[in-house]
Amino acid sequence: MQKAGVEVRAAAGGSILRIRNDAPDGTFTKLGREAVREAECGNGVVIEHPEQWETQYCHLAAGSVLVKLGDKVELGQPIGRVGLSGLTEYPHLHFTVRHNGVVVDPFAYGVRPESCQGGQSLWLTALRSKLEYQERAILNAGFTTGPVTMELIEDGSAERQMPSASSMAIVAFVRAIGLKAGDAQWLVIKDPLENVIAETRSAPLQANKAQFMLFAGKKRPPGGWERGSYKATYVVERDGQVVLRKDLELML
Protein backbone atom coordinates (compact mmCIF):
# COMPACT_ATOMS: atom_id res chain seq x y z
CA MET A 1 0.00 0.00 0.00
CA GLN A 2 2.76 2.43 0.93
CA LYS A 3 4.93 1.75 -2.10
CA ALA A 4 1.90 1.88 -4.38
CA GLY A 5 1.52 5.54 -3.44
CA VAL A 6 -2.08 5.42 -2.21
CA GLU A 7 -3.36 8.97 -1.92
CA VAL A 8 -5.01 10.37 1.20
CA ARG A 9 -7.69 12.95 0.41
CA ALA A 10 -9.50 15.54 2.49
CA ALA A 11 -12.80 14.21 3.82
CA ALA A 12 -14.31 17.71 3.65
CA GLY A 13 -13.29 21.25 2.80
CA GLY A 14 -11.50 23.36 5.40
CA SER A 15 -8.22 24.93 6.55
CA ILE A 16 -4.98 23.16 7.48
CA LEU A 17 -4.57 23.50 11.25
CA ARG A 18 -1.55 21.26 11.96
CA ILE A 19 0.92 19.12 10.01
CA ARG A 20 3.96 16.90 10.53
CA ASN A 21 5.98 15.70 7.56
CA ASP A 22 9.42 14.65 8.81
CA ALA A 23 8.80 11.46 10.82
CA PRO A 24 10.62 8.46 9.28
CA ASP A 25 8.65 5.45 8.09
CA GLY A 26 8.95 2.19 9.99
CA THR A 27 10.42 3.60 13.22
CA PHE A 28 8.06 1.70 15.52
CA THR A 29 8.58 -1.66 13.82
CA LYS A 30 12.37 -1.20 13.90
CA LEU A 31 12.99 0.55 17.24
CA GLY A 32 9.89 0.02 19.38
CA ARG A 33 7.32 2.17 21.17
CA GLU A 34 9.77 4.50 22.91
CA ALA A 35 11.04 5.72 19.54
CA VAL A 36 7.63 7.20 18.69
CA ARG A 37 6.62 8.47 22.14
CA GLU A 38 4.61 11.70 21.79
CA ALA A 39 4.66 11.22 18.02
CA GLU A 40 2.28 8.27 17.74
CA CYS A 41 0.42 9.85 14.82
CA GLY A 42 3.62 10.03 12.81
CA ASN A 43 3.31 12.27 9.79
CA GLY A 44 -0.14 13.76 9.78
CA VAL A 45 -2.56 16.51 8.90
CA VAL A 46 -5.34 18.14 10.92
CA ILE A 47 -8.02 20.01 8.97
CA GLU A 48 -10.32 22.52 10.63
CA HIS A 49 -13.85 22.57 9.19
CA PRO A 50 -16.79 24.93 9.83
CA GLU A 51 -18.97 24.57 12.94
CA GLN A 52 -16.20 23.23 15.20
CA TRP A 53 -15.43 20.08 13.19
CA GLU A 54 -11.91 18.66 12.71
CA THR A 55 -10.51 15.69 10.83
CA GLN A 56 -7.09 14.15 11.47
CA TYR A 57 -5.05 11.91 9.15
CA CYS A 58 -2.17 9.89 10.69
CA HIS A 59 0.67 7.55 9.62
CA LEU A 60 1.31 9.33 6.31
CA ALA A 61 4.49 8.56 4.37
CA ALA A 62 7.58 10.60 5.18
CA GLY A 63 7.78 13.69 2.98
CA SER A 64 4.43 13.02 1.32
CA VAL A 65 2.33 15.79 2.91
CA LEU A 66 1.22 18.17 0.16
CA VAL A 67 -0.26 21.01 2.21
CA LYS A 68 1.03 23.81 4.46
CA LEU A 69 -0.34 25.45 7.59
CA GLY A 70 -3.22 27.75 6.72
CA ASP A 71 -3.86 26.26 3.28
CA LYS A 72 -7.46 25.97 2.16
CA VAL A 73 -8.43 22.51 0.91
CA GLU A 74 -11.50 21.17 -0.83
CA LEU A 75 -13.40 17.91 -0.47
CA GLY A 76 -11.37 15.13 -2.10
CA GLN A 77 -8.17 17.15 -2.50
CA PRO A 78 -4.99 15.02 -2.09
CA ILE A 79 -3.12 15.92 1.10
CA GLY A 80 -0.53 13.10 1.32
CA ARG A 81 0.08 9.38 0.91
CA VAL A 82 -0.48 6.33 3.11
CA GLY A 83 2.69 5.51 5.03
CA LEU A 84 4.26 3.66 7.95
CA SER A 85 5.16 6.51 10.30
CA GLY A 86 4.31 6.72 13.99
CA LEU A 87 2.81 3.95 16.11
CA THR A 88 1.82 1.46 13.43
CA GLU A 89 2.90 -2.01 12.32
CA TYR A 90 1.61 -1.82 8.75
CA PRO A 91 0.75 0.93 6.23
CA HIS A 92 -2.72 2.35 6.79
CA LEU A 93 -4.54 5.61 7.42
CA HIS A 94 -5.68 6.35 10.97
CA PHE A 95 -8.60 8.73 10.48
CA THR A 96 -10.17 10.67 13.35
CA VAL A 97 -13.17 13.00 13.44
CA ARG A 98 -13.71 15.51 16.26
CA HIS A 99 -16.64 17.82 16.99
CA ASN A 100 -16.23 20.54 19.61
CA GLY A 101 -12.95 18.86 20.56
CA VAL A 102 -14.54 15.46 21.22
CA VAL A 103 -13.76 12.38 19.11
CA VAL A 104 -16.88 11.07 17.36
CA ASP A 105 -17.66 8.00 15.27
CA PRO A 106 -18.26 9.05 11.63
CA PHE A 107 -20.18 5.82 11.08
CA ALA A 108 -22.55 6.41 14.01
CA TYR A 109 -22.50 10.07 15.00
CA GLY A 110 -24.66 10.85 18.01
CA VAL A 111 -24.95 7.27 19.28
CA ARG A 112 -25.08 7.00 23.06
CA PRO A 113 -21.85 5.67 24.64
CA GLU A 114 -23.60 2.66 26.18
CA SER A 115 -25.34 1.71 22.92
CA CYS A 116 -24.08 -0.49 20.08
CA GLN A 117 -26.75 0.65 17.63
CA GLY A 118 -28.10 3.86 16.16
CA GLY A 119 -26.40 7.09 15.29
CA GLN A 120 -26.03 8.87 11.98
CA SER A 121 -23.46 8.21 9.26
CA LEU A 122 -21.44 11.29 8.32
CA TRP A 123 -20.27 9.78 5.03
CA LEU A 124 -21.69 10.73 1.65
CA THR A 125 -24.40 8.29 0.62
CA ALA A 126 -22.44 7.22 -2.47
CA LEU A 127 -19.48 6.16 -0.30
CA ARG A 128 -21.22 4.24 2.46
CA SER A 129 -21.26 0.84 0.76
CA LYS A 130 -17.55 1.17 -0.09
CA LEU A 131 -16.68 1.97 3.52
CA GLU A 132 -18.38 -0.98 5.16
CA TYR A 133 -16.23 -2.51 7.89
CA GLN A 134 -14.02 -5.42 6.81
CA GLU A 135 -13.11 -7.63 9.74
CA ARG A 136 -10.24 -9.22 7.81
CA ALA A 137 -8.40 -8.05 4.72
CA ILE A 138 -5.40 -8.88 2.53
CA LEU A 139 -2.79 -6.15 2.14
CA ASN A 140 -0.26 -7.93 -0.06
CA ALA A 141 -0.23 -11.14 -2.06
CA GLY A 142 1.79 -12.47 -4.95
CA PHE A 143 4.55 -14.72 -6.24
CA THR A 144 8.28 -14.21 -5.71
CA THR A 145 11.53 -16.15 -6.11
CA GLY A 146 12.77 -16.73 -2.56
CA PRO A 147 12.11 -16.47 1.17
CA VAL A 148 9.82 -13.61 2.13
CA THR A 149 10.22 -11.19 5.03
CA MET A 150 8.04 -8.32 6.16
CA GLU A 151 10.80 -5.92 5.11
CA LEU A 152 10.78 -7.28 1.54
CA ILE A 153 7.02 -6.82 1.41
CA GLU A 154 7.21 -3.28 2.80
CA ASP A 155 9.81 -2.06 0.30
CA GLY A 156 8.10 -3.77 -2.63
CA SER A 157 10.99 -6.15 -3.39
CA ALA A 158 8.93 -9.31 -2.94
CA GLU A 159 6.35 -8.32 -5.54
CA ARG A 160 8.99 -7.15 -8.02
CA GLN A 161 10.83 -10.50 -8.06
CA MET A 162 8.33 -12.30 -10.28
CA PRO A 163 9.34 -15.93 -11.00
CA SER A 164 10.26 -16.99 -14.52
CA ALA A 165 10.99 -20.33 -16.17
CA SER A 166 14.62 -20.01 -15.06
CA SER A 167 13.93 -19.12 -11.41
CA MET A 168 15.41 -21.34 -8.74
CA ALA A 169 12.18 -21.28 -6.72
CA ILE A 170 8.52 -20.33 -6.84
CA VAL A 171 7.13 -18.81 -3.65
CA ALA A 172 3.60 -17.55 -2.97
CA PHE A 173 3.04 -15.11 -0.11
CA VAL A 174 0.16 -13.31 1.58
CA ARG A 175 0.03 -10.63 4.26
CA ALA A 176 -3.35 -10.34 5.97
CA ILE A 177 -4.61 -7.94 8.64
CA GLY A 178 -7.37 -8.11 11.23
CA LEU A 179 -7.17 -11.85 11.86
CA LYS A 180 -8.93 -13.14 14.97
CA ALA A 181 -8.10 -15.70 17.63
CA GLY A 182 -9.27 -19.08 16.34
CA ASP A 183 -8.66 -18.28 12.66
CA ALA A 184 -6.80 -21.04 10.79
CA GLN A 185 -4.92 -20.34 7.55
CA TRP A 186 -3.51 -22.34 4.69
CA LEU A 187 -1.70 -21.52 1.47
CA VAL A 188 -1.23 -24.03 -1.34
CA ILE A 189 0.48 -23.89 -4.75
CA LYS A 190 -0.52 -26.17 -7.64
CA ASP A 191 1.40 -26.74 -10.86
CA PRO A 192 -0.17 -26.74 -14.36
CA LEU A 193 -1.10 -30.41 -13.90
CA GLU A 194 -3.01 -29.55 -10.68
CA ASN A 195 -0.42 -31.28 -8.49
CA VAL A 196 0.18 -29.67 -5.09
CA ILE A 197 3.83 -28.63 -5.08
CA ALA A 198 3.89 -26.55 -1.88
CA GLU A 199 1.61 -26.06 1.10
CA THR A 200 1.73 -24.22 4.42
CA ARG A 201 -0.87 -24.54 7.15
CA SER A 202 -0.96 -22.58 10.38
CA ALA A 203 -2.57 -23.70 13.61
CA PRO A 204 -5.57 -21.67 14.80
CA LEU A 205 -4.37 -18.35 16.15
CA GLN A 206 -4.16 -18.06 19.91
CA ALA A 207 -4.75 -14.29 19.86
CA ASN A 208 -5.94 -11.55 17.53
CA LYS A 209 -3.29 -10.46 15.04
CA ALA A 210 -2.92 -6.97 13.62
CA GLN A 211 -1.07 -8.57 10.71
CA PHE A 212 0.16 -12.02 9.73
CA MET A 213 2.37 -13.23 6.88
CA LEU A 214 2.22 -16.70 5.34
CA PHE A 215 4.25 -18.14 2.47
CA ALA A 216 4.80 -21.45 0.72
CA GLY A 217 7.42 -22.34 -1.84
CA LYS A 218 9.08 -24.98 -3.99
CA LYS A 219 12.62 -25.24 -5.33
CA ARG A 220 13.02 -25.83 -9.05
CA PRO A 221 12.92 -29.56 -9.84
CA PRO A 222 15.87 -31.16 -11.70
CA GLY A 223 13.92 -31.21 -14.96
CA GLY A 224 12.89 -27.56 -14.69
CA TRP A 225 9.47 -26.04 -14.31
CA GLU A 226 6.44 -27.40 -16.13
CA ARG A 227 5.22 -24.70 -18.52
CA GLY A 228 1.75 -23.34 -17.94
CA SER A 229 -0.36 -21.87 -15.15
CA TYR A 230 0.69 -22.12 -11.50
CA LYS A 231 -2.09 -21.32 -9.06
CA ALA A 232 -1.94 -20.41 -5.39
CA THR A 233 -4.88 -20.31 -3.01
CA TYR A 234 -4.89 -18.65 0.41
CA VAL A 235 -7.76 -19.40 2.78
CA VAL A 236 -8.71 -18.30 6.28
CA GLU A 237 -11.19 -20.62 7.98
CA ARG A 238 -13.14 -20.13 11.18
CA ASP A 239 -15.47 -22.72 12.70
CA GLY A 240 -15.34 -24.66 9.45
CA GLN A 241 -16.34 -21.67 7.32
CA VAL A 242 -14.16 -19.79 4.81
CA VAL A 243 -14.03 -16.15 5.94
CA LEU A 244 -11.28 -14.89 3.62
CA ARG A 245 -9.84 -16.19 0.35
CA LYS A 246 -7.35 -15.05 -2.27
CA ASP A 247 -6.51 -16.80 -5.56
CA LEU A 248 -3.29 -16.07 -7.45
CA GLU A 249 -2.02 -17.19 -10.87
CA LEU A 250 1.45 -17.27 -12.40
CA MET A 251 2.12 -18.13 -16.05
CA LEU A 252 5.43 -19.75 -17.00
Side-chain angles (χ1 to χ4, degrees):
M1 181 180 292
Q2 180 181 355
K3 295 301 177 181
V6 176
E7 285 185 331
V8 175
R9 296 171 178 263
S15 301
I16 302 301
L17 187 63
R18 293 189 295 276
I19 64 168
R20 178 186 287 125
N21 197 27
D22 58 358
D25 287 304
T27 301
F28 170 64
T29 56
K30 296 174 183 175
L31 302 178
R33 185 178 295 269
E34 284 299 315
V36 295
R37 182 178 293 277
E38 298 184 0
E40 289 84 356
C41 176
N43 299 306
V45 175
V46 176
I47 303 177
E48 184 179 41
H49 309 283
E51 300 181 4
Q52 303 301 309
W53 288 91
E54 289 181 3
T55 52
Q56 183 171 2
Y57 312 76
C58 291
H59 309 317
L60 305 185
S64 74
V65 174
L66 301 173
V67 292
K68 304 184 299 296
L69 291 177
D71 281 357
K72 303 294 185 182
V73 295
E74 299 178 352
L75 167 67
Q77 180 176 329
I79 58 174
R81 288 186 290 107
V82 170
L84 191 63
S85 61
L87 185 60
T88 179
E89 296 182 68
Y90 55 89
H92 73 284
L93 172 69
H94 187 111
F95 177 69
T96 303
V97 179
R98 286 185 286 269
H99 190 218
N100 293 319
V102 178
V103 174
V104 300
D105 185 348
F107 293 91
Y109 175 63
V111 68
R112 292 180 298 178
E114 67 276 10
S115 175
C116 295
Q117 296 181 334
Q120 172 189 357
S121 174
L122 300 178
W123 300 106
L124 293 173
T125 302
L127 294 178
R128 292 177 188 176
S129 62
K130 298 179 180 180
L131 293 172
E132 290 180 354
Y133 176 68
Q134 297 183 38
E135 193 168 34
R136 304 165 182 84
I138 293 171
L139 279 188
N140 306 89
F143 287 97
T144 190
T145 58
V148 182
T149 65
M150 203 64 78
E151 290 74 18
L152 291 175
I153 291 177
E154 290 293 354
D155 68 17
S157 297
E159 292 173 277
R160 288 195 296 268
Q161 297 171 2
M162 184 64 67
S164 67
S166 61
S167 295
M168 296 304 296
I170 292 177
V171 178
F173 67 91
V174 175
R175 176 169 64 157
I177 61 173
L179 300 182
K180 306 299 181 183
D183 287 352
Q185 306 167 80
W186 56 269
L187 176 62
V188 62
I189 305 176
K190 293 184 178 181
D191 68 12
L193 301 178
E194 293 293 313
N195 298 311
V196 174
I197 61 171
E199 184 175 13
T200 299
R201 291 182 179 268
S202 72
L205 297 175
Q206 298 300 306
N208 295 344
K209 293 291 184 180
Q211 63 176 336
F212 197 97
M213 181 186 69
L214 201 67
F215 67 90
K218 172 73 173 178
K219 291 183 179 179
R220 186 174 67 186
W225 298 112
E226 188 81 29
R227 295 302 179 95
S229 172
Y230 288 76
K231 296 179 180 179
T233 300
Y234 168 76
V235 169
V236 178
E237 292 182 339
R238 184 177 184 84
D239 299 327
Q241 300 294 318
V242 174
V243 294
L244 187 64
R245 177 178 174 133
K246 180 71 173 181
D247 294 300
L248 305 167
E249 184 174 12
L250 170 70
M251 292 297 298
L252 292 185

